[in-house]
Amino acid sequence: DIGALRGLETFLQLLSLDEKGVTVPEIAIYDEPRFPWRGLMIDSSRHFMPVAMIKRNLDGMAAVKLNVLHWHLVDDQGFRVECLAWPKLHEQASDRNYYTRAQIRDVIDYAAERGIRVVPEFDLPGHGSAWLTAYPELASAPGPYEIERSWGIFDPTINPTIEKTYEFLDALFAEMAELFDDEFIHIGGDENNGKHWLANPEIVAFMEERGYDGPLTLQRYFNERVLAIMTKYGKRMVGWDEIFEDGLPKNVVIQSWRGRESLFESARLGYSGILSKGYYIDLIQPTDDHYHNDPLPADSPLTPEEAARILGGEATMWAEYVSPETVDSRIWPRTAAIAERFWSPVWVRDLEDMYRRMDRISLMLEELGLQHERNRPMMLRRLCQCRDVDALEVLLGAIEPVKVYNRGRLRKHTQFSPLTRMVDAAWPDAGPARNFRWAVARLIESGFTEGDDLDAVRNTLITWSDNHAVLEETIRTSPALADIEAMSIALAGVSITGLEALDVAIAGDTKNKEWLDLRLERLDAARESHGQTELVMIDPVVDLVCAVALPASMSAESCREQDAPVVEHH
């Protein structure tokens, strides 16, 4: 029955509407999923996500043949499940934003009808603020404790050396094993800094008595105790990289945020694993980065037996910087490309065709009630208090939110920070900027002779260069737009530089190094972020400038490197 559901989704993707009506091509399909674990993780702890949001995203998952909802339900910022055994968890550690048992069962049934399993995550022993707000007697250090409102790695940690901890977890997982009927329960296990353990003389004495050489070994002891509880209730345990230590029973599944090398190492030692590094969709990276990231690439060093232990992968939607209004736009449509990577053969890698199909799938997903397309213009109208948002849409076509973890570095956020600014409305992967980049690349390769690309590049640059004059009055009368005024000005300046380079190329002229250095300096200055956004159309303009002013001693690559920004890796 699930195979039939997947086949029907393929059939729906093939339907087209033209002057002849609804048609489907005459075609034979022989298809099967490449990986058995094709997941999406949704974080409901840092920002609570209503049931309606979970259900519409289950519809989206089914449409692209994902089959595991990894539901991150507990973190420092909240415990989100009604718990009969320990009711203070949802009463005191959730701000009254939690899922009742009836709602959980409703979501599980809804998912099952779509061929999707629900794997809950109860993050421990670190990320313990919410747990310990409700039950401080389980803590490794004196309280008091409260729900964490900020983002980061915090010290509160459950005490693994007292029997009360395991009595507590036994009662908890007995209840959750009955509520969540999937084979797996995720225990998190990540980012335990060990500070509270090392500051507690009793815990240090416990480690010394048993010959443990530090927090990692103590956490293995904790994992083994929790695993025994899981096994008692018929569950398999999943955890992030940090739970992996050789000697742990082999039925544990490792979810890798560190990367393929970590994943492969655990597979060689007999552990099943799933890859999430490279699929962190909250980091606002281009879709092609995700698409070319493969849990098991063609050049994998694993033997067939080891490779079979790579179960698949998961996209991860961490919720520090999303709300129920914006979360769909961070998940879709990029996750459709990730879903294809989990389903399709390793040799399916055509980027241009992927983007063509992704744009079409995006509209199909909107028909299911997903809000990634719909909410953006609404947010823009709210920001400018106006109906005409065309100029704001033009600006959004050239900018994206800052990448990786830079948003938190640029501005302090808490659980209560409104997520309603231009950075929140911006695309993670701006289509107009991407199309411009491709057109510039083709134009340069043709020696500036390709007419369609020449028109496309020129028209785009003119639109961008003129846009600030149109937008200036709107920004002046809309305080909520003040932080992107500098970005709008920068877009105009970069575009004027691009048009100048284009005119030089069409005239068959070349410029000297002084001309080149001045323009590269201007373009580099335009890389400064404003409003936690960045211009993503600068690199192709750099290519245009380099193409018309190359010193004899300089290659195109070295010209680009001269302007390349310094990128931090995390």
Side-chain angles (χ1 to χ4, degrees):
D1 55 342
I2 292 175
L5 285 174
R6 307 297 183 233
L8 286 169
E9 293 296 349
T10 298
F11 180 78
L12 287 171
Q13 291 176 19
L14 290 168
L15 293 176
S16 61
L17 185 64
D18 56 24
E19 66 276 5
K20 297 177 183 177
V22 179
T23 62
V24 65
E26 183 178 342
I27 189 171
I29 298 175
Y30 302 89
D31 198 18
E32 62 182 355
R34 183 168 165 228
F35 294 106
W37 191 300
R38 307 181 304 280
L40 169 65
M41 189 219 74
I42 293 178
D43 174 7
S44 288
S45 177
R46 289 176 175 86
H47 281 107
F48 182 71
M49 298 295 162
V51 169
M53 176 269 168
I54 302 297
K55 285 186 170 182
R56 68 178 182 254
N57 278 277
L58 285 167
D59 288 335
M61 290 174 66
V64 298
K65 306 178 208 173
L66 294 174
N67 70 341
V68 180
L69 171 64
H70 170 178
W71 206 353
H72 187 83
L73 292 163
V74 181
D75 216 299
D76 290 290
Q77 291 77 19
F79 190 99
R80 304 300 185 188
V81 185
E82 181 183 18
C83 181
L84 302 181
W86 306 106
K88 286 194 286 187
L89 287 170
H90 66 269
E91 291 170 353
Q92 298 182 15
S94 72
D95 294 319
R96 295 184 297 280
N97 286 320
Y98 63 89
Y99 305 103
T100 66
R101 289 172 56 86
Q103 288 174 320
I104 293 284
R105 286 303 323 169
D106 181 39
V107 168
I108 291 171
D109 292 343
Y110 192 89
E113 290 171 357
R114 288 151 181 79
I116 299 170
R117 299 161 34 221
V118 178
V119 176
E121 180 181 349
F122 300 90
D123 203 352
L124 44 82
H127 289 282
S129 300
W131 295 96
L132 303 178
T133 296
Y135 293 94
E137 61 267 31
L138 303 177
S140 300
Y145 290 90
E146 59 184 19
I147 297 171
E148 183 58 58
R149 304 304 183 182
S150 300
W151 316 131
I153 300 173
F154 304 101
D155 298 340
T157 312
I158 290 172
N159 188 339
T161 68
I162 56 175
E163 285 306 308
K164 185 180 295 185
T165 290
Y166 302 104
E167 294 166 4
F168 177 93
L169 293 178
D170 189 285
L172 175 92
F173 284 123
E175 179 179 343
M176 296 306 154
E178 175 273 329
L179 181 60
F180 292 91
D181 54 13
D182 194 72
E183 177 185 358
F184 296 92
I185 290 180
H186 203 301
I187 68 155
D190 60 317
E191 298 180 329
N192 172 19
N193 62 24
K195 289 182 179 179
H196 278 189
W197 287 355
L198 295 174
N200 183 323
E202 294 179 358
I203 293 177
V204 171
F206 182 93
M207 287 192 286
E208 291 174 350
E209 179 184 334
R210 292 175 176 249
Y212 294 164
D213 56 10
L216 285 177
T217 314
L218 180 57
Q219 186 158 336
R220 184 175 69 182
Y221 165 79
F222 174 81
N223 292 337
E224 290 169 345
R225 294 290 303 268
V226 174
L227 177 59
I229 295 171
M230 295 286 190
T231 303
K232 174 181 174 182
Y233 295 112
K235 298 296 183 181
R236 288 184 65 185
M237 189 168 87
V238 190
W240 297 101
D241 275 308
E242 287 90 336
I243 76 163
F244 170 59
E245 282 232 349
D246 193 20
L248 205 61
K250 296 294 193 292
N251 66 337
V252 171
V253 176
I254 310 299
Q255 182 165 5
S256 179
W257 64 267
R258 290 174 175 164
R260 276 197 297 261
E261 287 309 310
S262 171
L263 187 70
F264 290 173
E265 179 187 358
S266 61
R268 290 187 188 101
L269 292 171
Y271 295 90
S272 297
I274 50 182
L275 180 67
S276 281
K277 172 135 176 116
Y279 304 126
Y280 271 50
I281 50 179
D282 61 304
L283 300 187
I284 316 296
Q285 293 168 311
T287 310
D288 44 339
D289 283 9
H290 302 310
Y291 191 65
H292 278 167
N293 183 50
D294 198 298
L296 198 61
D299 60 355
S300 161
L302 300 182
T303 67
E305 182 182 8
E306 293 165 346
R309 298 185 187 118
I310 308 301
L311 301 180
E314 278 187 1
T316 56
M317 184 64 258
W318 298 105
E320 287 93 336
Y321 302 107
V322 293
S323 67
E325 179 179 62
T326 64
V327 64
D328 290 9
S329 72
R330 298 308 183 243
I331 298 175
W332 307 106
R334 290 179 299 154
T335 297
I338 297 173
E340 180 171 298
R341 175 53 51 234
F342 296 158
W343 181 282
S344 298
V346 66
W347 46 262
V348 177
R349 296 174 63 84
D350 186 326
L351 272 182
E352 198 161 344
D353 190 58
M354 178 274 288
Y355 275 113
R356 177 189 65 79
R357 291 179 290 106
M358 189 179 76
D359 287 345
R360 183 167 180 268
I361 289 291
S362 185
L363 297 178
M364 294 175 64
L365 292 168
E366 187 180 31
E367 294 175 23
L368 299 174
L370 287 159
Q371 300 174 4
H372 58 296
E373 298 272 3
R374 186 189 76 182
N375 282 3
R376 186 183 67 257
M378 177 185 68
M379 293 176 71
L380 295 181
R381 288 191 293 271
R382 185 174 63 212
L383 280 166
C384 71
Q385 292 294 295
C386 62
R387 288 190 173 274
D388 184 3
V389 295
D390 289 350
L392 286 173
E393 290 276 19
V394 169
L395 178 58
L396 284 186
I399 67 174
E400 291 172 6
V402 291
K403 311 302 181 192
V404 199
Y405 298 106
N406 286 322
R407 185 166 180 180
R409 295 190 180 96
L410 292 171
R411 181 170 178 167
K412 174 70 173 176
H413 284 74
T414 74
Q415 203 173 25
F416 305 121
S417 299
L419 300 170
T420 55
R421 299 159 53 235
M422 277 288 280
V423 61
D424 302 297
W427 284 301
D429 192 349
R434 180 178 68 243
N435 293 335
F436 175 72
R437 182 176 72 247
W438 288 349
V440 167
R442 291 191 300 265
L443 183 62
I444 294 174
E445 187 177 359
S446 75
F448 294 91
T449 61
E450 176 50 57
D452 289 344
D453 286 324
L454 177 61
D455 291 342
V457 169
R458 184 184 295 280
N459 291 339
T460 301
L461 287 170
I462 289 172
T463 299
W464 282 339
S465 65
D466 293 346
N467 195 62
H468 182 67
V470 179
L471 194 55
E472 193 170 12
E473 177 64 16
T474 301
I475 293 175
R476 189 181 66 79
T477 57
S478 305
L481 295 173
D483 62 354
I484 54 91
E485 181 175 16
M487 192 62 72
S488 180
I489 294 169
L491 174 62
V494 170
S495 301
I496 289 169
T497 298
L499 285 168
E500 182 185 12
L502 201 60
D503 288 341
V504 171
I506 298 307
D509 197 3
T510 57
K511 294 294 183 178
N512 60 27
K513 190 174 185 305
E514 288 72 24
W515 183 93
L516 172 66
D517 289 346
L518 178 60
R519 276 134 192 91
L520 289 180
E521 183 180 341
R522 291 174 184 169
L523 293 172
D524 187 54
R527 293 185 187 277
E528 182 179 356
S529 63
H530 298 279
Q532 297 170 290
T533 66
E534 59 189 22
L535 281 178
V536 291
M537 43 69 73
I538 294 178
D539 284 345
V541 173
V542 169
D543 291 343
L544 285 173
V545 168
C546 287
V548 299
L550 283 178
S553 60
M554 181 180 289
S555 67
E557 289 73 19
S558 58
C559 178
R560 296 185 194 102
E561 288 170 5
Q562 189 172 325
D563 177 72
V566 175
V567 179
E568 292 184 62
H569 294 275
H570 305 279

